[in-house]
Amino acid sequence: MGDHKDLTDEFAAAKIKDLAENIKTCMFCTYREDNRLQSRPMSVQEIDEDGQLWFLSDRNSGQNAEITLNPTVDLFFSEPHDKFLTLHGTASISYDRKTIEKLWNPAVKIWMPGGVDDPNLSVIKVTPEDGYYWNNKNGKMVAIAKMAAAFVTGHTMDDGIEGNLKL
């Protein structure tokens, strides 16, 4: 087995920031009225020092409607062969213009053609409660080489560091 290292508080927040900032896009999962999971890809705009994640969203979107009914969310980040992060937390929606302006970047205009001043633009803040991470010890290229060697030799490749996160 790989190394196991559970992280709490500021160490968990730092791990979230490290992994999520590098991966950037996650499957953002909300819960529908029938309590079934609803997923869609979303890009993180910012991760603060407390491990909170900030997204921009349309006021009329499915995720906003579902968060209004049930603020429980799950986020799944993945960079194949290298980094994985799952987070369970609570989402809140804001329409604070200063925060929207701070988080805005031109790429968001693809989904929000009205730009930074679009009145339907909202901020979703996710406050993680817990999660799980896995990443390899030596980087993606080494991990791929070790996987190839494991395939050829029939030995298990064990190059991971994993653990639970608790904030």
Side-chain angles (χ1 to χ4, degrees):
M1 289 302 277
D3 295 342
H4 187 94
K5 187 173 183 179
D6 292 337
L7 302 173
T8 60
D9 304 321
E10 69 270 10
F11 301 105
K15 180 56 80 174
I16 290 168
K17 189 167 178 60
D18 174 52
L19 292 175
E21 276 185 343
N22 286 316
I23 299 171
K24 205 70 171 158
T25 299
C26 68
M27 289 305 289
F28 189 108
C29 305
T30 53
Y31 291 85
R32 300 185 322 207
E33 218 171 325
D34 62 3
N35 208 32
R36 292 187 60 125
L37 196 65
Q38 180 66 46
S39 303
R40 78 280 294 152
M42 290 185 71
S43 293
V44 177
Q45 300 304 310
E46 181 178 313
I47 301 135
D48 66 23
E49 297 304 317
D50 295 323
Q52 297 177 117
L53 301 97
W54 303 77
F55 300 83
L56 292 174
S57 181
D58 187 314
R59 170 190 307 258
N60 300 312
S61 67
Q63 60 267 17
N64 282 41
E66 289 154 4
I67 290 167
T68 300
L69 293 173
N70 179 354
T72 300
V73 296
D74 291 290
L75 308 179
F76 298 92
F77 293 84
S78 175
E79 187 174 287
H81 310 297
D82 195 28
K83 298 173 185 156
F84 302 89
L85 174 66
T86 63
L87 297 172
H88 177 78
T90 304
S92 60
I93 300 169
S94 166
Y95 299 95
D96 179 70
R97 297 309 306 167
K98 284 186 180 179
T99 305
I100 290 169
E101 290 170 9
K102 178 183 169 198
L103 298 176
W104 178 262
N105 73 65
V108 177
K109 196 167 183 169
I110 295 167
W111 295 276
M112 299 298 296
V116 70
D117 296 318
D118 190 321
N120 289 323
L121 197 52
S122 69
V123 175
I124 298 174
K125 177 178 80 170
V126 174
T127 303
E129 297 165 18
D130 54 46
Y132 173 83
Y133 74 96
W134 182 94
N135 59 294
N136 68 52
K137 296 175 187 175
N138 300 302
K140 189 178 221 169
M141 295 310 292
V142 172
I144 291 171
K146 285 186 173 189
M147 282 189 277
F151 179 77
V152 171
T153 65
H155 293 104
T156 301
M157 189 243 7
D158 197 0
D159 195 34
I161 302 171
E162 64 177 320
N164 296 304
L165 302 169
K166 185 74 175 157
L167 290 120

